[in-house]
Amino acid sequence: MALKELSSLEKFLGLKKPNKYSTQGDRKVPVLQSNSGPGLVGLVTIATHLTQEAKKPDLLGSSAEERAVVQQWLEYRVTRLDGCAKEDIRTILKDLNTYLEDKVYLAGNHISIADPLMYYGLHHIIMDLAVHEKEKYLNVTRWFDHMQHYPIVRHHLPPVAVLRNRVYTSGHH
Amino acid sequence: MAAGTLYTYPENWRAFKAQIAAQYSGAKLKVASTPPAFSFGQTNRTPAFLSNFPTGKVPAYQGDDGFCLTESNAIAYYLCSDALRGTSPQASAQVLQWVSFADADIVPSASAWVFPTLGIMQFNKQATEQAKEEMKRALAYLNQHLNTRTFLVGERVSLADITVACSLLWAYKQVLEPAFRQAYPNVNRWFVTCINQPQFKTVLGEVKLCEKMAQFDAKKFTDVQPKKDTPPKEKKGGKEGKKEKKEDKKKEEKKAAAPAAEEMDECEVALAAEPKTKDPYAHLPKSPFVMDEFKRKYSNEDTLTVALPHFWEHFDREGYSIWYGEYRFPKELTQTFMSCNLISGMFQRLDRLRKTAFASMILFGTNNNSTISGIWVFRGQDLAFPLSDDWQIDYESYAWRKLEVDSEECKTMVKEYFAWEGDFKHVGMPISQGKIFK
């Protein structure tokens, strides 16, 4: 899973030459193999490194504050989202829905590395949501749909159907 | 890819649409908004400009290939990439839908609400309240649409976003204070995202959202208003004064009744906002010849049997003079409709002269063989045009000659030009069309 994601990320970043990855430990933490010295360990470390490698520093945030927010979401992804308990999913979606109410992207006014990484991490969760739940977390759904319409983001993942017109109009916001 | 020049006055939100579209598409667009390239109110009144853009309105676009275009939406559309226009028939129709929505449902109420706060339109409480309600309806609709969407059409910025965001620009800057706009979180999210895209930012700069709803700026309003809109002076003799008062009142009422419907185009607003000079005839003694009365006779009654006798009976030789003007470049006149535009354009630009002058201009001849000449009646003994900077655009294209009021020539010319009939011996061509300046 994480390895496919990293290869998608490479494409998103426009990196031509694929890197070699392996995993370590029970949680299958990704490792970027390097020819010289020890590899880079962990999704956040690797993603940050790849972005710098691709010379797209704006994707890490274009101001000090934005860079902090990007890092916050990368951290959120690995500490809160990955491997979260089933009962936590609703809380995560609820929080994210509130956060995205006044935002199109997770950090700043343009796409950053946080967006595709959160999209990859949330994909299996959104896939499993029922229609009325997608409506309940409307801002998450809108953001998710926007992400999956970036052809460079959605490489290895199937599209998720999103309804434009609400079915359960009496439901939540 | 399109390349050309956009003529506009500075900070024109209509021009922004085209400029942002060009930022996205990479069209090479030069913007002429400041002297010497373009000075609003002058450049757009020159014959050269008017021959390309007969209305004299901006924004106006001229391609490096000579292609000319007016109307901001058309210019923006032309400068768009395919992606911005919508790549499927459905998407491009939706883009058009939102462009029309902006014009029909946002611009009128936004203007009626915002203009008074900028001091470029009289404040009317009822009109402002009505505009607020209309704005609420438009924003509610947008808010609902953007509930499930990131951008208006598809998943990328399109001309729809550019157009609608630009039409809301002044409202967001001037009047949509936080308490008002909080009811439309989806619109706010979308708007802030749009204006922060680099392509928008390059054109708009840093947009500061309104913090406190701006109110009517009475001082600015009186400062920039043309003189004719100030209340008539207290002391005014007899009939004339009364009539003017009545007219002014009527004007006010009309404005109050339907400000949204007849909201001013920024172009006109900017024109109205131009600094006004003082009455150039203030130094002259009062004249017994009442211009308005003559004009009424001319408009409502027979020229030969009523208006002309009235004219000669009351004409004030001291206070007024009669001039003959003839177009100096008849060889350049081609299509008659273009020559007619030349005349009406000149009349328009001399608007402020109407109170004190009267003229009949006639286009003689046919396509590619024509001439223009006319008779003008001015206050005072000198040519009126040099008295005001606003009046000097056209007059140098004409040769002017002051007529001896009591000469046979003058009597004949006045008769022929006012009545649009006669031999016109000095011209030697049949009348094509006449136009009256009154």
Side-chain angles (χ1 to χ4, degrees):
Chain A
M1 175 64 205
L3 300 189
K4 269 192 188 159
E5 176 182 348
L6 284 167
S7 129
S8 288
L9 191 64
E10 285 178 352
K11 286 178 195 145
F12 169 72
L13 292 167
L15 290 169
K16 294 268 154 46
K17 224 176 99 211
N19 291 290
K20 276 191 192 131
Y21 301 99
S22 60
T23 56
Q24 72 178 35
D26 291 344
R27 294 190 63 190
K28 300 206 165 170
V29 176
V31 180
L32 171 62
Q33 309 276 24
S34 87
N35 294 330
S36 54
L40 289 173
V41 183
L43 187 63
V44 174
T45 319
I46 298 173
T48 310
H49 168 76
L50 290 178
T51 311
Q52 272 153 359
E53 195 90 308
K55 297 199 170 61
K56 291 187 174 163
D58 276 2
L59 290 175
L60 291 168
S62 43
S63 66
E65 197 188 347
E66 253 180 58
R67 278 190 288 277
V69 177
V70 170
Q71 285 306 314
Q72 173 204 307
W73 283 109
L74 294 181
E75 206 177 307
Y76 185 93
R77 157 76 204 270
V78 288
T79 58
R80 299 285 312 277
L81 191 59
D82 285 357
C84 67
K86 228 181 168 157
E87 55 270 28
D88 288 343
I89 288 180
R90 303 289 171 249
T91 321
I92 288 174
L93 287 174
K94 191 164 162 274
D95 291 350
L96 198 54
N97 194 55
T98 311
Y99 181 78
L100 283 169
E101 184 177 2
D102 62 349
K103 292 172 196 71
V104 165
Y105 304 100
L106 288 171
N109 290 296
H110 58 91
I111 197 166
S112 72
I113 199 79
D115 291 295
L117 282 174
M118 281 294 285
Y119 164 79
Y120 297 141
L122 277 164
H123 189 274
H124 67 280
I125 293 174
I126 305 288
M127 273 294 258
D128 290 344
L129 287 184
V131 173
H132 74 274
E133 283 178 309
K134 283 183 200 157
E135 281 191 10
K136 186 175 172 184
Y137 308 111
L138 199 60
N139 298 316
V140 177
T141 310
R142 188 198 66 247
W143 165 84
F144 188 88
D145 194 31
H146 188 54
M147 283 308 126
Q148 70 177 358
H149 275 85
Y150 275 91
I152 50 170
V153 171
R154 187 183 62 82
H155 282 291
H156 64 285
L157 297 169
V160 173
V162 168
L163 290 178
R164 292 294 200 189
N165 297 309
R166 304 183 63 183
V167 182
Y168 304 89
T169 42
S170 59
H172 307 261
H173 286 282
Chain B
M1 188 53 69
T5 307
L6 186 72
Y7 297 98
T8 175
Y9 52 87
E11 294 294 309
N12 179 356
W13 70 266
R14 290 182 203 270
F16 287 161
K17 295 185 277 187
Q19 290 173 251
I20 296 168
Q23 285 292 324
Y24 273 99
S25 71
K28 288 192 180 61
L29 187 66
K30 294 182 283 287
V31 178
S33 61
T34 47
F38 180 84
S39 45
F40 183 69
Q42 288 177 14
T43 316
N44 55 323
R45 292 168 178 185
T46 57
F49 190 91
L50 291 169
S51 75
N52 285 331
F53 310 106
T55 62
K57 284 193 176 187
V58 293
Y61 170 85
Q62 184 166 21
D64 293 348
D65 54 2
F67 176 60
C68 287
L69 208 52
T70 59
E71 293 301 323
S72 59
N73 291 331
I75 299 169
Y77 181 87
Y78 180 66
L79 294 171
C80 275
S81 58
D82 287 345
L84 286 180
R85 291 176 190 146
T87 41
S88 69
Q90 288 83 356
S92 60
Q94 283 172 325
V95 167
L96 187 59
Q97 170 196 308
W98 287 108
V99 170
S100 306
F101 172 79
D103 275 357
D105 294 74
I106 296 176
V107 176
S109 53
S111 308
W113 189 5
V114 171
F115 285 177
T117 71
L118 295 169
I120 49 184
M121 197 165 115
Q122 176 59 279
F123 172 70
N124 174 285
K125 192 162 189 300
Q126 203 188 340
T128 297
E129 291 309 314
Q130 195 190 331
K132 277 186 198 174
E133 290 309 309
E134 282 167 20
M135 181 60 91
K136 279 183 190 167
R137 274 199 291 279
L139 289 176
Y141 171 53
L142 268 177
N143 195 59
Q144 193 213 344
H145 182 78
L146 289 166
N147 212 349
T148 56
R149 292 168 178 88
T150 301
F151 294 113
L152 289 174
V153 177
E155 287 293 332
R156 295 288 172 276
V157 168
S158 72
L159 182 59
D161 301 292
I162 297 174
T163 309
V164 178
C166 284
S167 70
L168 283 168
L169 183 64
W170 275 103
Y172 261 108
K173 280 171 137 172
Q174 284 290 112
V175 293
L176 298 181
E177 63 183 4
F180 189 96
R181 65 175 185 255
Q182 69 165 8
Y184 316 102
N186 302 321
V187 184
N188 299 333
R189 177 189 67 236
W190 160 85
F191 183 77
V192 170
T193 304
C194 284
I195 58 171
N196 279 296
Q197 297 306 303
Q199 294 87 344
F200 279 73
K201 234 174 173 170
T202 310
V203 173
L204 304 179
E206 200 70 51
V207 177
K208 203 168 165 295
L209 297 196
C210 169
E211 274 165 16
K212 194 167 180 319
M213 193 182 292
Q215 301 296 328
F216 174 54
D217 191 337
K219 191 186 167 297
K220 205 169 167 193
F221 178 70
T222 30
D223 284 355
V224 301
Q225 273 314 290
K227 236 182 156 198
K228 61 177 179 185
D229 275 1
T230 56
K233 277 176 205 147
E234 291 284 326
K235 276 186 190 172
K236 254 211 172 141
K239 258 176 149 181
E240 196 189 355
K242 247 185 211 161
K243 193 192 161 274
E244 276 190 11
K245 228 176 227 169
K246 218 170 156 188
E247 263 184 9
D248 268 10
K249 216 175 152 194
K250 230 192 252 163
K251 242 183 246 162
E252 291 290 326
E253 279 167 6
K254 205 174 153 204
K255 248 190 200 165
E262 57 159 24
E263 109 282 355
M264 281 190 281
D265 180 69
E266 266 89 327
C267 190
E268 288 144 31
V269 170
L271 279 171
E274 280 174 53
K276 294 299 169 191
T277 46
K278 283 178 189 158
D279 176 11
Y281 297 118
H283 63 286
L284 292 179
K286 206 168 149 40
S287 168
F289 179 64
V290 183
M291 189 52 106
D292 276 350
E293 204 177 325
F294 162 67
K295 285 180 182 173
R296 264 200 305 283
K297 291 261 189 265
Y298 184 86
S299 306
N300 302 331
E301 312 210 31
D302 184 69
T303 305
L304 287 175
T305 58
V306 183
L308 273 169
H310 174 94
F311 180 79
W312 288 118
E313 193 184 322
H314 295 93
F315 186 72
D316 167 22
R317 287 160 177 72
E318 318 273 292
Y320 283 86
S321 55
I322 303 175
W323 293 74
Y324 172 72
E326 189 179 323
Y327 195 61
R328 287 167 57 207
F329 316 106
K331 288 212 172 70
E332 288 174 17
L333 299 174
T334 54
Q335 303 293 313
T336 53
F337 76 89
M338 286 165 72
S339 309
C340 280
N341 288 342
L342 198 65
I343 302 174
S344 17
M346 175 179 185
F347 286 180
Q348 254 170 37
R349 291 182 280 278
L350 293 170
D351 196 38
R352 286 201 313 117
L353 189 57
R354 281 182 209 276
K355 251 190 180 164
T356 52
F358 174 86
S360 171
M361 298 276 278
I362 296 180
L363 172 70
F364 297 93
T366 50
N367 285 349
N368 302 313
N369 178 28
S370 50
T371 175
I372 300 171
S373 55
I375 293 291
W376 287 74
V377 180
F378 294 125
R379 189 82 169 89
Q381 294 302 314
D382 302 309
L383 207 53
F385 308 113
L387 291 174
S388 167
D389 288 343
D390 302 355
W391 300 340
Q392 297 178 18
I393 313 284
D394 303 85
Y395 89 104
E396 283 175 339
S397 308
Y398 292 80
W400 295 97
R401 184 157 61 86
K402 190 171 168 183
L403 298 178
E404 204 63 57
V405 172
D406 292 309
S407 68
E408 212 38 57
E409 181 198 23
C410 177
K411 299 266 181 208
T412 314
M413 279 194 175
V414 166
K415 186 178 151 195
E416 291 181 344
Y417 277 88
F418 284 18
W420 292 359
E421 58 185 55
D423 299 335
F424 294 100
K425 278 197 179 122
H426 62 291
V427 181
M429 283 185 216
I431 292 190
S432 169
Q433 282 178 63
K435 282 189 184 292
I436 297 295
F437 180 77
K438 61 181 184 195

